[in-house]
């Protein structure tokens, strides 16, 4: 009985130590001057949100924003410009020639899980966006913006693209140009443009110091539910190990430590 009691005390002590270390790590990561808000959509008084990304699973960067929008009965849209057909399977779930079909289905399923009202996946080849006509991409986004009429648009910061992926950077630039064209046509609403941002201290830990200088400084953050993000990677089964391969941590652990989303919103402080 004494041995069991001693073992339980040791285990409890380990749990406490791990919890303290995790909290200290979070305090370090989030010791910045970025304004933390309960909901970015509420903070910006948004009524309709359109997110423009390059690949299936990119929506993982904005899960909390989308969950909040659904709770607030805000209409949301997600444009995905490639089906992710050239991606590396992690793990392999199909023959490579069918990966685009699989990932397209995955992004529609994750969109349903996140409560997205309108989704569209374009058929540009994965990894080819920087070779496409930028005006053509811009025109497609403008048409979608005019049709959906969002007052908040979210995309990648063009110079960094969250991960320096050329597709991310290209679609960020095309969206930025399209937004400016859309904004110039507005007379009744004042839409805002937001970019997903990787926290600088996370980039430092990942050894991506150079990327810090390429991205804007975030001016808002929101606390993100780690379960939702982990669930999203279960849905995106062909990319389930991406987080672990990229960061060295399994998704469930990373999102419990890094439980915030960062955004730079143009024209706000």
């Amino acid at each position: 009985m004494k041995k069991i009691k001693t073992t339980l005390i040791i285990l409890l002590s380990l749990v406490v130590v791990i919890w303290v270390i995790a909290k200290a790590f979070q305090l370090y990561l989030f010791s910045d001057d970025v304004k933390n808000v309960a909901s970015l959509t509420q903070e910006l008084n948004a009524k309709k949100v359109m997110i423009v990304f390059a690949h299936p699973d990119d929506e993982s960067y904005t899960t909390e924003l989308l969950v909040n929008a659904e709770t607030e009965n805000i209409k949301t849209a997600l444009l995905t410009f490639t089906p992710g057909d050239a991606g590396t399977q992690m793990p392999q779930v199909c023959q490579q020639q069918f990966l685009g079909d699989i990932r397209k289905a995955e992004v529609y399923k994750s969109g349903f899980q996140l409560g997205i009202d309108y989704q569209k996946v374009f058929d540009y080849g994965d990894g080819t966006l920087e070779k496409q006509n930028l005006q053509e991409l811009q025109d497609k986004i403008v048409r979608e913006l005019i049709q959906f009429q969002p007052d908040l648009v979210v995309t990648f910061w063009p110079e960094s693209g969250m991960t320096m992926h050329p597709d991310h950077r290209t679609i960020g630039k095309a969206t930025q140009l399209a937004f400016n064209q859309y904004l110039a046509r507005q007379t009744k609403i004042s839409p805002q443009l937001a970019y997903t941002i990787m926290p600088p201290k996370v980039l430092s830990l990942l050894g991506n110091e150079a990327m810090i200088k390429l991205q804007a400084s975030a001016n808002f953050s929101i606390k993100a539910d780690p379960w939702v993000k982990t669930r999203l990677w279960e849905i995106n089964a062909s990319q389930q190990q991406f987080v672990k391969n990229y960061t060295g941590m399994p998704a469930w652990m990373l999102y419990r430590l890094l439980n915030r989303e960062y955004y730079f919103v143009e024209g706000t402080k």
Side-chain angles (χ1 to χ4, degrees):
M1 188 69 181
K2 188 175 180 180
K3 284 186 177 181
I4 294 174
K5 186 177 180 180
T6 302
T7 301
L8 287 173
I9 292 172
I10 292 171
L11 288 174
L12 181 61
S13 299
L14 284 172
V15 169
V16 171
V17 169
I18 292 170
W19 183 85
V20 170
I21 291 172
K23 287 299 177 183
F25 186 60
Q26 285 182 326
L27 285 172
Y28 164 74
L29 286 177
F30 304 142
S31 59
D32 49 41
D33 58 357
V34 178
K35 183 179 181 180
N36 183 248
V37 296
S39 166
L40 186 63
T41 41
Q42 278 192 348
E43 181 73 15
L44 300 177
N45 197 30
K47 304 301 180 187
K48 296 181 80 173
V49 180
M50 175 171 279
I51 294 174
V52 189
F53 282 151
H55 310 111
D57 75 38
D58 287 345
E59 68 278 5
S60 64
Y61 299 119
T62 57
T63 57
E64 192 63 26
L65 186 152
L66 289 165
V67 168
N68 287 341
E70 182 185 28
T71 302
E72 297 156 14
N73 293 316
I74 292 171
K75 294 292 184 183
T76 54
L78 172 64
L79 304 183
T80 305
F81 266 77
T82 84
D85 50 297
T88 301
Q89 298 186 54
M90 310 176 200
Q92 185 168 2
V93 298
C94 65
Q95 293 178 330
Q96 188 67 24
Q97 69 197 73
F98 302 123
L99 182 59
D101 295 329
I102 295 295
R103 294 192 69 188
K104 187 183 288 190
E106 289 172 349
V107 74
Y108 282 132
K109 185 176 180 181
S110 76
F112 175 77
Q113 180 79 21
L114 292 168
I116 297 173
D117 298 288
Y118 171 74
Q119 282 187 259
K120 188 168 186 176
V121 180
F122 294 91
D123 288 322
Y124 290 98
D126 184 5
T128 73
L129 291 182
E130 67 175 340
K131 300 174 184 176
Q132 303 295 332
N133 184 296
L134 189 62
Q135 185 65 54
E136 179 182 320
L137 298 174
Q138 178 184 337
D139 289 345
K140 287 184 182 295
I141 297 169
V142 169
R143 282 196 289 270
E144 295 292 336
L145 290 171
I146 292 171
Q147 178 180 323
F148 191 72
Q149 289 289 300
D151 53 10
L152 177 61
V153 179
V154 184
T155 190
F156 294 116
W157 182 250
E159 280 70 40
S160 60
M162 284 293 278
T163 63
M164 296 299 291
H165 195 299
D167 282 353
H168 292 190
R169 296 164 75 180
T170 300
I171 213 63
K173 186 62 178 178
T175 305
Q176 188 180 66
L177 293 170
F179 176 83
N180 290 336
Q181 187 176 340
Y182 171 65
L183 179 62
R185 300 176 59 145
Q186 294 305 316
T187 58
K188 295 182 179 180
I189 62 173
S190 299
Q192 293 180 279
L193 181 59
Y195 305 89
T196 57
I197 297 296
M198 186 76 77
K201 288 181 181 178
V202 175
L203 288 174
S204 295
L205 289 172
L206 293 173
N208 290 337
E209 296 280 354
M211 188 174 146
I212 297 173
K213 299 178 181 179
L214 294 176
Q215 66 177 13
S217 297
N219 47 16
F220 291 103
S221 71
I222 52 177
K223 190 173 180 180
D225 186 335
W227 183 89
V228 176
K229 289 188 181 290
T230 304
R231 172 60 180 148
L232 183 138
W233 288 106
E234 292 172 358
I235 292 172
N236 285 275
S238 65
Q239 305 297 301
Q240 195 167 28
Q241 296 302 312
F242 171 79
V243 171
K244 185 177 181 180
N245 292 349
Y246 185 68
T247 68
M249 289 187 191
W252 67 266
M253 181 183 294
L254 178 74
Y255 292 131
R256 276 158 182 79
L257 292 172
L258 184 60
N259 61 345
R260 290 194 195 181
E261 294 173 0
Y262 280 70
Y263 296 90
F264 169 62
V265 182
E266 287 190 344
T268 60
K269 295 181 180 180

